[in-house]
Amino acid sequence: MSNFDHLSIHIPKSHYPRVVIVGGGFGGLKLSRMLVKEKFQVVLMDRNNYHVFQPLLYQVATAGLEADAIAGPMRKLIKEYDNFFFRMLRVLKVDVESKKVSTKVGDISYDYLILANGAKTNFFGNDQIMKNAFPLKQLSHALDLRSHLLQNFEKAVLSNERAYVESLLNVVVVGGGPTGVEVAGALAELKGHVLPKDYPELNFRQMNIYLIEGTDRLLNGMSQNSGDKAHYYLDGLMVNVITGKFVQSYENNVVKLNDDTEIHTQTLIWAAGVMGSIIDGIPKELVEKSRILVNEFNQVNGFENFYAIGDVACMKSEKFPKGHPMVAPVAIQQAEHLVKNLKLQMQGKEMLGFDYTNKGSMATIGRNRAVVDLPGDIKFTGLFAWAVWMFVHLMSIVGFKNKFIIFINWLWNYFTYDRGNRLIVRFFNPTLKDYEENQSDLYTDNDE
Amino acid sequence: MSNFDHLSIHIPKSHYPRVVIVGGGFGGLKLSRMLVKEKFQVVLMDRNNYHVFQPLLYQVATAGLEADAIAGPMRKLIKEYDNFFFRMLRVLKVDVESKKVSTKVGDISYDYLILANGAKTNFFGNDQIMKNAFPLKQLSHALDLRSHLLQNFEKAVLSNERAYVESLLNVVVVGGGPTGVEVAGALAELKGHVLPKDYPELNFRQMNIYLIEGTDRLLNGMSQNSGDKAHYYLDGLMVNVITGKFVQSYENNVVKLNDDTEIHTQTLIWAAGVMGSIIDGIPKELVEKSRILVNEFNQVNGFENFYAIGDVACMKSEKFPKGHPMVAPVAIQQAEHLVKNLKLQMQGKEMLGFDYTNKGSMATIGRNRAVVDLPGDIKFTGLFAWAVWMFVHLMSIVGFKNKFIIFINWLWNYFTYDRGNRLIVRFFNPTLKDYEENQSDLYTDNDE
């Protein structure tokens, strides 16, 4: 008997057309919250029961914030609409011919399908790295990484072998985009302010933080000025920034770069790139570089009622010949725009083409240090940029309570130079299973 | 090659005598914080890197508080003493002859050994229940239970089979002590205020919460009046309180009581009892009913420098012929008293006998409902008792930030009737491994 024998996706029939939305990230959540107010039956499917504010994942990973503060339960975020149905399920397959999506517990038919299932970490086909590196795209990744880092320090205290201790303390971050820069900065601050107090027995001069970027500069999505400034800030924080190099292999706790440089570390954080999550069944000719080709209405090429938005969608235009950047504002704006278009379509009117409004981009490197690019070639850095970064992120996160708890945490961390969430709570993660099994004898007991 | 090849417990030699403390619960933490200020070398060993405030575990399990709020990292709680050494290790064996304790990564010798490793869940030898029930003694237990409960509701939405849905919704709590009463009350409030909004598709009249107690009344450690009042409150919250019965078996999702009553449930919460955690190597004649026999100085019978305090210790006296109750205040007071005695012993003076000051006991059943017994036969219940419960718990928890975050959460929950922490984040737990593996296909993906 399978575990799923009693389960199926029964959604009541409705006189409204059924919109199935796959993924509750920035795009899918926005879309759901707006569409439930219109004459649609909205079915949102996600494998997690919560929406997570991904830009702050790195702060969970580095013990600055609790996991619960950056996530909100999906059912709390959208409620009291009787045309809304959330299903905590992973969508395994799409059948665009018979208009249905499949899951482990059965199929569901749709009138409209909107894929908003975003992106996953791109390991560029390197299985060895995929198996051993830490991605940072999901809440469980952040908690896994936090536990792993702290556990390494606890193990370092137990060793007298210099080389082994260094491999425990060293951290290699791959990818010089915002995530890589932010996590490297946060680790440098942990090393500077928190760890020496926690571990007076360790010599943190033995801890080296590396940031490896394949191109010749950091923050490629931002201005040269911001990239340079981020580099300067990271230098000041003693992060070893290496540009123009890439990771060739990672085995036996050795990261090897393409110039044969070797770095001994038990922690490789992989923020080198993302790729669209392509669900099985989507015709191959519709996919280019792991993104689904859509027209200016986010319609998947050749379909009337099949849409894709956000990271997983590739809308080519004059301004964006390779599609839009894979960032939250694109997903949110496409969601808002698609709701308008669906209403127009329902009224038999012509849909309007999407036009992305770039509101700027930013990254924080550490306390009082951030870089901001605004449209119209406005750039600023330093304390004011850092305050802007905090304000924008605080305002963007869902829920008043989350805002408040994060604000308190940030105030606390700022004035005490502390990071309170230094708990090692091990998570179940299929990719880490061997690791967990080897560790478990040290700490756990099967009979309690 | 084992994972532990490079590891050992090297502690520097010191001219101070070395005290090894096993366990960082209420007793072990208090002891460590006080002893580091004296002329001892203090080595604290715990398999977790944090101290957890156990009385609030049930609120984490029922989505009222975030895990991080009720735990504090051990190294943060005791720092800036160069005679203090924390080792995140599980103690596997004690050798009282050669004065050392053993772990996976080697031995450590002691001048004084103090066992403060507390209690674990008592399944009364029933392996079937141990394998399938949820204990509530550790942080990971609380988070596992939270995820399990919420996942059951998500599954219930996917089923049309009434009996199956009821087995998903029903919860059986075993044990009418404070933990059982508090978790049953919190579940009843979830059912009343939060779940119907989250799951409008489910009929919560199908959800039954049972509280099973083997003796004829609740809260046996408190007055008859408080037990009766707790029973009355739980009745009002529609909890099915069953006294004078015990659980005989739990298999295939059926709880069977000794009168052959059958309850279908996929969630059995086991708060029916605790037993001392007896480490291997402790001579059998020193152990009675899984607690270590100690004299009035907390000295293990027959030893000069081997002590046990708190739940794991059994100090018989006229007032407590079976030993003290297994509660936090006993552990804390014994810790404080033992520090005094160790100082006296060092000075060659006579030690003083321990005398427990009962400051009262209390339990909360839900909003505005609690029971408090104070010494001198003072009892009160209701709103004031509830306010006292909250104040005492808030003041007892370590750390100003934890206090503040919990206070904010409580205020929020009180005024919104909400519980914000409804996230399903699955943890690794050896006892749940089969369960996790069966579930994982539904939600996870091995390649990201």
Side-chain angles (χ1 to χ4, degrees):
Chain A
M1 192 191 92
S2 124
N3 247 318
F4 315 129
D5 271 359
H6 305 278
L7 307 180
S8 66
I9 326 177
H10 51 279
I11 307 277
K13 286 217 184 301
S14 161
H15 50 279
Y16 290 158
R18 178 183 295 163
V19 186
V20 170
I21 299 168
V22 180
F26 287 109
L29 180 66
K30 188 72 175 177
L31 204 55
S32 304
R33 294 178 105 173
M34 292 179 73
L35 271 185
V36 289
K37 295 175 187 161
E38 310 295 334
K39 292 178 175 171
F40 293 98
Q41 184 186 57
V42 179
V43 180
L44 174 62
M45 305 177 85
D46 197 293
R47 65 180 144 165
N48 290 316
N49 79 328
Y50 52 81
H51 165 80
V52 61
F53 191 74
Q54 288 184 341
L56 292 178
L57 276 178
Y58 83 95
Q59 294 207 2
V60 173
T62 52
L65 285 176
E66 43 261 59
D68 295 34
I70 68 158
M74 223 74 93
R75 293 182 181 277
K76 184 181 162 182
L77 296 173
I78 310 165
K79 64 182 173 190
E80 282 157 30
Y81 292 95
D82 55 14
N83 57 335
F84 176 68
F85 298 89
F86 175 70
R87 291 294 178 266
M88 183 173 153
L89 286 171
R90 182 177 178 77
V91 172
L92 299 174
K93 211 176 161 183
V94 167
D95 184 341
V96 291
E97 294 307 318
S98 52
K99 291 196 200 165
K100 60 181 190 182
V101 301
S102 306
T103 72
K104 264 266 152 125
V105 303
D107 303 339
I108 176 175
S109 62
Y110 61 78
D111 297 307
Y112 295 88
L113 174 63
I114 306 172
L115 298 183
N117 57 319
K120 59 183 182 180
T121 303
N122 190 351
F123 293 100
F124 303 102
N126 191 325
D127 285 349
Q128 194 192 43
I129 289 174
M130 189 180 88
K131 225 185 125 189
N132 299 311
F134 286 84
L136 198 46
K137 283 289 290 175
Q138 296 185 34
L139 203 58
S140 55
H141 294 160
L143 286 160
D144 271 336
L145 180 54
R146 181 178 87 180
S147 287
H148 174 81
L149 285 166
L150 294 169
Q151 207 160 305
N152 280 353
F153 299 125
E154 292 298 337
K155 278 168 92 173
V157 168
L158 297 173
S159 185
N160 269 326
E161 299 171 32
R162 192 183 162 109
Y164 184 73
V165 168
E166 284 179 2
S167 81
L168 286 166
L169 301 186
N170 289 340
V171 180
V172 174
V173 182
V174 183
T179 302
V181 164
E182 289 177 343
V183 79
L187 286 167
E189 295 206 320
L190 263 185
K191 177 187 161 186
H193 303 307
V194 179
L195 298 175
K197 280 186 213 153
D198 265 15
Y199 302 94
E201 296 172 73
L202 298 177
N203 175 5
F204 282 95
R205 293 210 188 124
Q206 288 176 32
M207 178 181 183
N208 286 292
I209 301 163
Y210 297 86
L211 177 62
I212 318 280
E213 162 60 33
T215 71
D216 63 350
R217 51 164 283 211
L218 299 179
L219 298 176
N220 264 298
M222 295 183 67
S223 64
Q224 178 79 44
N225 186 55
S226 290
D228 291 348
K229 193 77 185 187
H231 197 132
Y232 169 81
Y233 284 146
L234 288 168
D235 282 345
L237 289 166
M238 312 287 277
V239 172
N240 303 295
V241 180
I242 300 176
T243 55
K245 304 270 156 59
F246 55 88
V247 173
Q248 206 151 49
S249 68
Y250 180 45
E251 51 187 338
N252 301 324
N253 299 327
V254 178
V255 174
K256 203 169 176 180
L257 306 187
N258 59 324
D259 64 351
D260 289 339
T261 307
E262 291 192 348
I263 306 167
H264 291 250
T265 181
Q266 303 202 22
T267 312
L268 178 63
I269 301 172
W270 194 258
V274 292
M275 58 194 283
S277 292
I278 300 299
I279 298 171
D280 279 357
I282 296 167
K284 273 182 193 160
E285 62 274 18
L286 300 177
V287 179
E288 196 178 292
K289 289 184 182 162
S290 77
R291 295 174 89 183
I292 302 169
L293 295 165
V294 297
N295 65 17
E296 58 183 329
F297 315 120
N298 281 99
Q299 247 168 351
V300 179
N301 290 348
F303 291 87
E304 270 287 299
N305 43 18
F306 176 19
Y307 298 83
I309 64 168
D311 288 359
V312 78
C314 177
M315 184 194 289
K316 293 181 182 180
S317 62
E318 234 170 84
K319 253 196 261 174
F320 300 98
K322 294 174 182 176
H324 293 79
M326 292 163 87
V327 295
V330 172
I332 293 168
Q333 290 179 34
Q334 288 185 342
E336 289 167 339
H337 191 78
L338 181 52
V339 172
K340 270 187 225 156
N341 271 338
L342 287 176
K343 283 162 69 180
L344 289 172
Q345 199 187 27
M346 291 279 276
Q347 294 159 12
K349 294 185 186 158
E350 281 211 6
M351 298 200 289
L352 302 166
F354 172 73
D355 190 23
Y356 175 52
T357 311
N358 177 16
K359 291 181 179 160
S361 50
M362 53 182 102
T364 184
I365 295 90
R367 50 193 303 129
N368 309 337
R369 296 181 187 93
V371 294
V372 175
D373 288 355
L374 293 185
D377 209 29
I378 301 164
K379 304 177 190 68
F380 49 96
T381 62
L383 179 64
F384 180 62
W386 181 74
V388 168
W389 182 94
M390 290 213 296
F391 180 77
V392 168
H393 281 76
L394 208 53
M395 289 304 109
S396 308
I397 203 155
V398 288
F400 174 76
K401 195 184 121 196
N402 282 356
K403 280 187 181 55
F404 195 75
I405 297 276
I406 291 175
F407 181 65
I408 296 297
N409 272 283
W410 283 352
L411 270 186
W412 178 266
N413 295 349
Y414 189 75
F415 287 108
T416 62
Y417 284 79
D418 193 17
R419 308 274 183 86
N421 304 85
R422 306 197 285 280
L423 315 180
I424 301 176
V425 193
R426 279 165 299 273
F427 273 76
F428 176 79
N429 179 325
T431 61
L432 289 178
K433 230 177 80 196
D434 293 342
Y435 168 77
E436 294 286 4
E437 274 169 4
N438 288 330
Q439 294 294 318
S440 61
D441 273 351
L442 254 187
Y443 310 111
T444 65
D445 185 358
N446 286 319
D447 68 8
E448 57 192 283
Chain B
M1 191 188 97
S2 124
N3 248 319
F4 315 128
D5 271 359
H6 305 279
L7 307 180
S8 66
I9 326 177
H10 51 277
I11 307 275
K13 287 218 183 299
S14 160
H15 50 278
Y16 290 158
R18 177 183 296 164
V19 185
V20 170
I21 299 168
V22 180
F26 287 110
L29 180 65
K30 187 71 173 178
L31 204 54
S32 304
R33 293 177 106 174
M34 291 179 73
L35 271 186
V36 288
K37 295 176 189 163
E38 309 296 333
K39 292 179 175 170
F40 293 98
Q41 182 187 58
V42 179
V43 180
L44 173 63
M45 305 178 85
D46 196 294
R47 64 179 144 167
N48 290 315
N49 79 328
Y50 52 82
H51 165 81
V52 62
F53 190 75
Q54 289 185 340
L56 292 178
L57 276 178
Y58 84 95
Q59 294 207 2
V60 173
T62 53
L65 286 176
E66 44 263 58
D68 295 34
I70 68 158
M74 223 75 91
R75 292 182 182 279
K76 184 181 162 182
L77 296 173
I78 309 165
K79 63 183 172 190
E80 281 157 30
Y81 291 96
D82 55 13
N83 57 336
F84 176 68
F85 299 88
F86 175 69
R87 291 294 180 265
M88 182 172 153
L89 285 171
R90 183 175 176 78
V91 173
L92 299 175
K93 211 177 160 183
V94 168
D95 184 342
V96 290
E97 294 308 316
S98 52
K99 291 197 201 164
K100 59 180 190 182
V101 302
S102 306
T103 73
K104 264 265 151 129
V105 302
D107 303 339
I108 176 176
S109 62
Y110 60 77
D111 296 308
Y112 296 88
L113 173 64
I114 305 173
L115 298 183
N117 57 319
K120 58 183 182 180
T121 303
N122 189 352
F123 293 100
F124 303 103
N126 191 326
D127 285 348
Q128 193 191 44
I129 290 173
M130 188 180 88
K131 224 185 127 191
N132 299 310
F134 286 83
L136 197 46
K137 283 290 288 175
Q138 297 184 33
L139 203 58
S140 56
H141 294 161
L143 285 160
D144 271 337
L145 180 54
R146 181 179 87 179
S147 287
H148 174 80
L149 286 165
L150 294 168
Q151 206 159 305
N152 280 353
F153 299 125
E154 292 298 336
K155 279 168 92 174
V157 168
L158 296 173
S159 185
N160 269 326
E161 298 171 32
R162 193 184 161 106
Y164 183 73
V165 168
E166 284 179 1
S167 82
L168 286 167
L169 301 186
N170 289 341
V171 180
V172 175
V173 182
V174 184
T179 302
V181 164
E182 288 177 343
V183 78
L187 286 168
E189 295 206 319
L190 262 186
K191 177 188 163 187
H193 304 306
V194 179
L195 299 175
K197 281 187 213 152
D198 265 14
Y199 302 94
E201 297 173 73
L202 297 177
N203 175 5
F204 282 96
R205 292 209 189 122
Q206 289 176 31
M207 179 180 182
N208 287 292
I209 300 162
Y210 297 87
L211 178 63
I212 318 280
E213 163 58 35
T215 72
D216 63 350
R217 54 163 284 213
L218 300 180
L219 298 177
N220 264 300
M222 295 182 67
S223 64
Q224 178 79 42
N225 186 53
S226 290
D228 290 349
K229 194 77 186 186
H231 196 133
Y232 169 81
Y233 284 145
L234 288 168
D235 282 345
L237 288 166
M238 312 287 277
V239 172
N240 303 296
V241 179
I242 300 176
T243 55
K245 302 272 156 57
F246 55 88
V247 173
Q248 206 151 50
S249 68
Y250 180 45
E251 51 188 336
N252 301 322
N253 299 326
V254 177
V255 174
K256 203 168 176 180
L257 304 187
N258 59 324
D259 64 351
D260 288 340
T261 306
E262 291 192 348
I263 306 167
H264 291 250
T265 182
Q266 303 201 22
T267 312
L268 177 64
I269 301 171
W270 194 258
V274 292
M275 58 196 280
S277 292
I278 300 299
I279 298 172
D280 280 358
I282 295 168
K284 273 182 193 157
E285 63 274 18
L286 300 178
V287 179
E288 196 178 290
K289 288 183 182 161
S290 76
R291 295 174 88 182
I292 301 169
L293 295 166
V294 297
N295 65 17
E296 59 183 328
F297 315 120
N298 281 101
Q299 245 168 352
V300 179
N301 289 349
F303 291 86
E304 270 288 299
N305 43 15
F306 176 19
Y307 297 83
I309 63 168
D311 288 359
V312 79
C314 178
M315 183 194 289
K316 294 182 183 178
S317 62
E318 233 169 86
K319 254 196 261 176
F320 299 98
K322 293 174 181 176
H324 292 79
M326 291 161 89
V327 294
V330 172
I332 293 169
Q333 290 179 33
Q334 288 185 340
E336 289 167 339
H337 191 79
L338 181 52
V339 172
K340 269 187 226 156
N341 271 338
L342 287 176
K343 282 162 71 181
L344 288 172
Q345 200 187 28
M346 292 278 277
Q347 293 160 12
K349 294 184 187 159
E350 280 211 6
M351 298 199 288
L352 302 167
F354 173 72
D355 191 23
Y356 176 51
T357 310
N358 178 17
K359 290 181 179 161
S361 50
M362 54 181 104
T364 184
I365 295 91
R367 50 193 303 128
N368 308 338
R369 296 181 187 93
V371 293
V372 175
D373 288 355
L374 293 185
D377 210 29
I378 300 164
K379 303 176 191 68
F380 49 97
T381 62
L383 179 63
F384 181 62
W386 182 74
V388 168
W389 182 94
M390 290 213 295
F391 179 77
V392 168
H393 281 76
L394 208 53
M395 290 304 107
S396 307
I397 203 157
V398 288
F400 174 75
K401 195 185 122 196
N402 282 355
K403 281 186 180 54
F404 194 74
I405 297 275
I406 290 175
F407 181 65
I408 297 296
N409 272 284
W410 282 352
L411 271 186
W412 178 266
N413 295 349
Y414 189 75
F415 287 107
T416 61
Y417 284 80
D418 193 17
R419 308 274 183 88
N421 304 83
R422 307 198 284 284
L423 313 181
I424 302 176
V425 193
R426 280 166 300 275
F427 273 76
F428 175 79
N429 179 325
T431 61
L432 289 178
K433 228 175 79 196
D434 293 342
Y435 169 79
E436 294 287 1
E437 271 168 8
N438 289 330
Q439 295 294 316
S440 61
D441 273 350
L442 255 187
Y443 310 109
T444 64
D445 185 359
N446 286 320
D447 67 9
E448 60 191 280

